[in-house]
Amino acid sequence: MEGFYLNLSFEEYLNQHHVSQTVLKAVKKSPAHAQYKLLEEVEQTPAMQKGTALHDKILRPDFFNMNYVIVNGDGRTAAVKQAKADAEAAGKTVLTRAEADEVISISEKVKSKEAANKLISNATYTELSIFWKDKLHGVDCKARLDGYLEELGIVFDIKTTRDASEDEFNRSIIQYGYHVQAAYYLRGLRALGKPANAFIVIAVETQAPFEVAIYDLIEWEGLGDLELGAMLQTYAKCLQTQNFPGYSEQVTVIKPPKWAQDKINNLKMVA
């Protein structure tokens, strides 16, 4: 199933049991967690549904207008409950007025940023599913790209965040493994013989004034590629043996990290 898939729904993408960057990042916790994540059935939470709605509004506005229904009220009145039931029966996604207003506000803010708007407007593909085999490790891989400018070899990804400032987003890169995602997506495109030169994040704050920052992760790619290689190697070995171990079965001496030692050592006792 190698190649580009343009009209694959997100649900169809999830049902393809290839390894994603999310699965590989779980290897850091344990191979057992990674394999569970590969096989689990993902149910959309309200937060995930709102995130999907935001992506659709920004990247596929016509699709958003056709496939989302906005209802007034919080769902407790009979009229609102009936409107929601009718929309869901028609295969549409329901948003409350408050959710829709937030999605629209964030979308407008993103498109007001010149660099973000250029990326979105010039994308060759949006919501692009790609599949490839990592030949070095023999692992079937997949990725879902928010946007790809093929001629320039630029991938962009929309991320919601509490704080999009440079210092805080650097922490988010480490915490959520965005550098691994960058290396993984670019590696996948290269495996398919496509240009892959940059991974850019459009970071969108989820609270008013919904500020937006645009970050090129090129300086992170080398570190991400190192981590990615180790994850793929570990997962490939587990795949070969069909053994996906969890945590150690032995008693482990747990050591205080340096930050905890420093914090305690610097305590000032009050007499």
Side-chain angles (χ1 to χ4, degrees):
M1 191 179 177
E2 292 189 8
F4 281 19
Y5 290 80
L6 305 179
N7 298 310
L8 205 65
S9 71
F10 188 56
E11 290 72 22
E12 291 170 321
Y13 168 79
L14 290 175
N15 287 334
Q16 304 302 317
H17 283 168
H18 289 51
V19 170
S20 67
Q21 55 99 14
T22 305
V23 169
L24 286 173
K25 286 190 294 192
V27 169
K28 288 181 69 175
K29 199 168 188 180
S30 83
H33 287 88
Q35 191 65 0
Y36 177 81
K37 191 162 284 291
L38 175 69
L39 300 176
E40 74 173 331
E41 290 188 11
V42 179
E43 291 189 11
Q44 286 249 357
T45 64
M48 289 170 65
Q49 186 182 75
K50 192 161 73 171
T52 300
L54 177 60
H55 276 68
D56 285 338
K57 179 62 178 171
I58 294 171
L59 300 173
R60 304 190 295 174
D62 291 339
F63 178 89
F64 179 89
N65 293 335
M66 291 175 59
N67 289 277
Y68 286 81
V69 172
I70 300 167
V71 296
N72 294 309
D74 58 10
R76 286 180 289 186
T77 67
V80 170
K81 288 179 180 178
Q82 186 59 53
K84 289 179 71 174
D86 291 345
E88 288 166 356
K92 298 179 184 290
T93 301
V94 176
L95 296 176
T96 65
R97 170 54 61 186
E99 289 170 336
D101 287 347
E102 183 175 314
V103 164
I104 292 166
S105 294
I106 294 173
S107 172
E108 289 173 350
K109 177 67 82 167
V110 169
K111 292 188 176 181
S112 74
K113 299 291 183 176
E114 182 181 2
N117 194 45
K118 275 187 177 180
L119 288 168
I120 294 163
S121 300
N122 293 317
T124 315
Y125 308 105
T126 58
E127 299 292 350
L128 172 66
S129 298
I130 65 172
F131 297 84
W132 73 97
K133 180 177 282 291
D134 184 284
K135 291 185 169 58
L136 180 61
H137 301 95
V139 176
D140 290 325
C141 300
K142 68 177 180 181
R144 180 90 165 182
L145 282 56
D146 284 353
Y148 177 47
L149 286 69
E150 185 170 9
E151 186 174 338
L152 297 174
I154 296 174
V155 179
F156 68 83
D157 199 76
I158 298 168
K159 301 286 189 194
T160 54
T161 181
R162 182 184 58 81
D163 188 338
S165 66
E166 190 170 344
D167 284 347
E168 284 301 318
F169 200 74
N170 254 329
R171 294 185 179 94
S172 294
I173 289 171
I174 287 290
Q175 182 177 356
Y176 300 112
Y178 296 154
H179 59 309
V180 175
Q181 181 184 0
Y184 181 74
Y185 281 20
L186 297 177
R187 186 181 287 205
L189 287 167
R190 290 168 188 149
L192 295 171
K194 299 294 184 179
N197 301 316
F199 181 91
I200 295 176
V201 172
I202 301 172
V204 186
E205 292 182 345
T206 52
Q207 294 182 334
F210 307 119
E211 261 307 324
V212 177
I214 302 97
Y215 295 117
D216 186 339
L217 269 62
I218 190 65
E219 296 289 335
W220 280 93
E221 189 190 347
L223 291 173
D225 209 52
L226 284 173
E227 277 199 66
L228 176 60
M231 292 169 183
L232 279 164
Q233 186 175 24
T234 298
Y235 189 81
K237 287 180 179 177
C238 295
L239 203 59
Q240 288 169 359
T241 60
Q242 283 299 295
N243 178 33
F244 298 88
Y247 300 135
S248 172
E249 297 180 13
Q250 306 302 316
V251 175
T252 301
V253 176
I254 190 164
K255 299 178 182 179
K258 186 177 184 302
W259 63 262
Q261 295 180 53
D262 291 343
K263 184 176 181 180
I264 293 167
N265 289 335
N266 290 329
L267 282 176
K268 293 182 179 179
M269 298 299 178
V270 179

